[in-house]
């Protein structure tokens, strides 16, 4: 697992824990919410990396 994947995993975990603390998610349905949140975090990281690199989602050319 590379550094970015580990950080995305940590961020997703922290988000879910915060939602549990404020009562928006219960510990019993942690896994279904965690998977969705983790996927969103990873997608956001990839999108941001592509914007910074100036490439489109397929990795070819300018994103503009």
């Amino acid at each position: 697992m590379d550094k970015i994947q580990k950080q995305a995993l940590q961020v997703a975990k922290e988000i879910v824990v915060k939602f549990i603390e404020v009562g928006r998610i219960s510990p019993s349905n942690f896994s279904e919410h965690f998977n969705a949140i983790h996927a969103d975090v990873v997608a956001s990281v990839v999108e941001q990396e592509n914007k910074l690199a100036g490439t489109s989602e397929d990795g070819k050319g300018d994103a503009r």
Side-chain angles (χ1 to χ4, degrees):
M1 194 181 290
D2 71 357
K3 183 179 176 182
I4 292 174
Q5 289 175 332
K6 285 181 181 180
Q7 288 176 337
L9 190 63
Q10 182 66 28
V11 167
K13 183 190 91 167
E14 290 176 17
I15 291 170
V16 172
V17 167
K18 187 55 73 177
F19 281 155
I20 290 171
E21 288 174 352
V22 298
R24 301 285 294 176
I25 294 175
S26 71
S28 64
N29 61 6
F30 169 88
S31 63
E32 67 187 70
H33 291 288
F34 180 82
N35 292 333
I37 291 169
H38 181 258
D40 286 342
V41 169
V42 170
S44 295
V45 169
V46 169
E47 180 181 332
Q48 188 63 31
E49 285 180 335
N50 287 340
K51 283 182 182 180
L52 292 174
T55 59
S56 62
E57 287 186 21
D58 62 3
K60 300 175 185 172
D62 197 339
R64 292 178 220 163

